[in-house]
Amino acid sequence: MESNFLLSFFVLLIVTCNTVVGNVIDEDLGLLDELSFDREKQNELYPFEVPSSERGERILVNVDSFGAVGNGTSDDTQAFVKAWNIACSTPNSVFLVPPGRIYLVNATRFKGPCADKLIVEIDGKIIAPDEPKNWDPKNPRNWLQFSNLNGTLFQGRGVIDGSGSKWWAASCKKNKTNPCKEAPTALTIDSSTAIGVIGITIQNSQQMHFVISRSDSVRIAKVIVSAPGDSPNTDGIHISGSTNVIILDSKIGTGDDCVSIVNSSSSIKMKRIYCGPGHGISIGSLGKDNSTGIVSKVVLDTAFLKDTTNGLRIKTWQGGSGYVRAVRFENVQMQNVSNPIIIDQFYCDSPKACQAQASAVKISQIMFKDISGTSKSSNAMKFSCSDTVPCSNIVLSNINLKGKNGTVNTYCHSVQGFGYGVVNPSADCLSGQDKNDHSRIDESINIVHTEL
């Protein structure tokens, strides 16, 4: 842990908050100290051997060798399954989807454990069947699912295309008369460890594009995720029940959250992310149907959001329990973004009004730092928190959000925190701070962080 950061943070609290009510500082803010990228460990981001163009002594397992046609209309599912069985059981193998062809593959589960140092090389295009009525009823939520892998690298310049247009048209969010139904995720990595994903494009998924679930130590870099801005529920990268996930240098534009982080996830780090169109970068939703949601230790450092319906968002349902804490968003630029900064404990994605409930997911120790750009909405910052479980320790530092069409405001309800440095629009509505105390901030104090 970086003692300089912790010391500086507490000095700031002492200097600026002599009149602050006690419960603003009664929580341990030390967790924020752990939210950093380590410059000395950049190699951990790419811990896998990337094969040369000649692939050395690796064993190529080409799907074409097992009967794949690659014309975009013939069903190549069984060829993929046969190739996978060989590659998975063979050390130092490369499961190869070669370039220049289009492979039609139905819902398939690629199961491990596999032999050491497996590489999945996707250089061609894989497409899903486009007709929802013909989808395999045994796999309603998955298209390409990989599970129980360890030390596997996914790489290539290929495309995974979910052919989702008919699924979107049948969605209850597109047509209110349609029943709400589940739809597949394009790519799922489940119950796996030490996974790398580099360079792949995932597009036009039926619903979510890329799900990481129940996994640990996942590194994602230079990935492109793409779908129309009006495609419903097409989250870009969705992290659930996972730890130690890093996302780098990726471009995401969909009809839902660019990145969504949900229950039982911690130590999630994102850097150099482009988001738009979409619903922004979100923690949640959490607490639906009185469930428990826990997310902690999340960092977003350096991002550009354009034309999104939300910016940096934490969303929870009434009636839930658990917590979101130790989160830092910093170095983010926004262009024409609605709700650039938003914490919403009254989230209700339902055709019916949600019932008022007293319990809520606790939100605390959240920092927004060096956030700038233009807001499409009149409230550039919105903190809508529970009356019984208020948000606490919300820290704003160097915020400069301007209205695209006039001035912008900050909305506060049941939130405690403080700001220092420039905070525009003003966040004096944050309770627990003397709004006249800004002059007492020592400008010479710097928060020290080592970032990637």
Side-chain angles (χ1 to χ4, degrees):
M1 292 174 59
E2 298 166 12
S3 59
N4 288 339
F5 172 81
L6 188 58
L7 177 61
S8 299
F9 207 170
F10 275 104
V11 169
L12 278 171
L13 282 171
I14 294 169
V15 170
T16 62
C17 301
N18 285 342
T19 59
V20 175
V21 293
N23 59 359
V24 174
I25 59 173
D26 65 359
E27 293 186 74
D28 178 16
L29 288 167
L31 278 173
L32 288 171
D33 178 43
E34 301 177 11
L35 307 182
S36 63
F37 289 97
D38 191 335
R39 294 180 187 274
E40 303 302 321
K41 296 182 179 180
Q42 292 189 40
N43 61 317
E44 291 184 0
L45 297 171
Y46 303 99
F48 305 93
E49 174 192 355
V50 178
S52 68
S53 58
E54 296 179 357
R55 298 187 175 89
E57 298 179 355
R58 290 189 169 274
I59 298 172
L60 288 183
V61 183
N62 190 328
V63 295
D64 289 355
S65 300
F66 294 84
V69 178
N71 61 8
T73 56
S74 299
D75 186 349
D76 291 323
T77 306
Q78 289 306 309
F80 271 61
V81 170
K82 292 175 182 177
W84 175 261
N85 290 337
I86 297 299
C88 181
S89 60
T90 305
N92 297 308
S93 65
V94 178
F95 176 86
L96 178 63
V97 181
R101 296 191 177 191
I102 301 174
Y103 297 91
L104 175 66
V105 178
N106 281 277
T108 306
R109 297 176 185 264
F110 299 92
K111 297 180 180 180
C114 293
D116 292 342
K117 298 183 178 180
L118 172 65
I119 291 176
V120 178
E121 178 92 16
I122 301 175
D123 291 322
K125 185 174 185 179
I126 306 172
I127 62 172
D130 65 356
E131 182 52 65
K133 295 178 182 178
N134 297 332
W135 196 261
D136 182 359
K138 296 180 181 178
N139 293 287
R141 296 303 305 272
N142 294 293
W143 174 30
L144 306 177
Q145 182 188 57
F146 294 83
S147 61
N148 296 309
L149 301 179
N150 180 42
T152 299
L153 172 63
F154 295 76
Q155 68 171 17
R157 299 181 180 179
V159 176
I160 295 172
D161 191 319
S163 307
S165 59
K166 290 184 180 179
W167 294 88
W168 309 332
S171 168
C172 61
K173 291 192 174 182
K174 280 280 193 176
N175 186 339
K176 302 297 183 183
T177 64
N178 289 339
C180 293
K181 295 182 178 180
E182 298 175 338
T185 292
L187 175 64
T188 300
I189 294 176
D190 177 63
S191 301
S192 297
T193 58
I195 302 297
V197 182
I198 302 175
I200 296 168
T201 295
I202 309 166
Q203 65 188 30
N204 301 323
S205 182
Q206 304 91 332
Q207 278 193 1
M208 293 182 179
H209 281 79
F210 183 10
V211 168
I212 303 160
S213 65
R214 299 180 295 183
S215 295
D216 178 68
S217 298
V218 179
R219 306 293 185 259
I220 301 167
K222 300 179 182 179
V223 165
I224 297 174
V225 182
S226 177
D230 62 350
S231 56
N233 298 115
T234 53
D235 296 52
I237 299 176
H238 181 78
I239 301 168
S240 174
S242 296
T243 55
N244 300 309
V245 178
I246 293 179
I247 306 172
L248 285 175
D249 301 312
S250 294
K251 183 176 182 181
I252 306 168
T254 69
D256 210 300
D257 296 324
C258 292
V259 179
S260 52
I261 303 167
V262 298
N263 188 34
S264 300
S265 295
S266 66
S267 298
I268 312 299
K269 300 181 180 181
M270 301 164 279
K271 192 173 181 75
R272 295 186 296 272
I273 304 297
Y274 180 98
C275 171
H279 294 183
I281 295 174
S282 296
I283 294 175
S285 65
L286 299 170
K288 186 177 182 181
D289 298 326
N290 305 110
S291 62
T292 298
I294 295 175
V295 173
S296 65
K297 299 181 183 179
V298 176
V299 176
L300 170 67
D301 180 1
T302 310
F304 181 74
L305 281 69
K306 181 179 180 182
D307 297 326
T308 55
T309 58
N310 295 284
L312 311 173
R313 177 167 61 158
I314 301 174
K315 51 182 177 176
T316 67
W317 295 72
Q318 295 181 77
S321 60
Y323 58 81
V324 176
R325 68 185 180 205
V327 176
R328 191 177 75 238
F329 300 104
E330 68 177 333
N331 299 320
V332 179
Q333 295 184 2
M334 305 197 189
Q335 182 178 326
N336 197 33
V337 170
S338 298
N339 307 309
I341 293 175
I342 178 169
I343 296 178
D344 183 7
Q345 285 187 292
F346 299 93
Y347 182 73
C348 180
D349 184 17
S350 171
K352 300 179 181 178
C354 292
Q355 181 181 0
Q357 299 185 61
S359 61
V361 176
K362 173 67 174 175
I363 298 175
S364 63
Q365 304 172 30
I366 314 296
M367 175 183 282
F368 299 91
K369 180 184 178 186
D370 296 327
I371 314 295
S372 62
T374 54
S375 174
K376 191 176 179 180
S377 55
S378 60
N379 286 324
M381 295 190 285
K382 182 177 180 180
F383 305 104
S384 182
C385 300
S386 167
D387 293 296
T388 54
V389 189
C391 303
S392 62
N393 286 337
I394 308 302
V395 182
L396 305 176
S397 173
N398 298 327
I399 309 296
N400 188 13
L401 295 169
K402 299 179 180 180
K404 184 179 180 182
N405 300 305
T407 60
V408 292
N409 306 300
T410 300
Y411 171 83
C412 298
H413 179 81
S414 194
V415 57
Q416 300 167 343
F418 65 93
Y420 62 94
V422 174
V423 178
N424 179 54
S426 170
D428 288 349
C429 60
L430 289 175
S431 66
Q433 177 178 0
D434 183 349
K435 67 180 180 181
N436 297 316
D437 209 26
H438 293 288
S439 61
R440 303 180 62 184
I441 296 175
D442 184 348
E443 297 295 340
S444 67
I445 296 174
N446 292 311
I447 291 180
V448 178
H449 253 309
T450 53
E451 295 298 334
L452 182 68

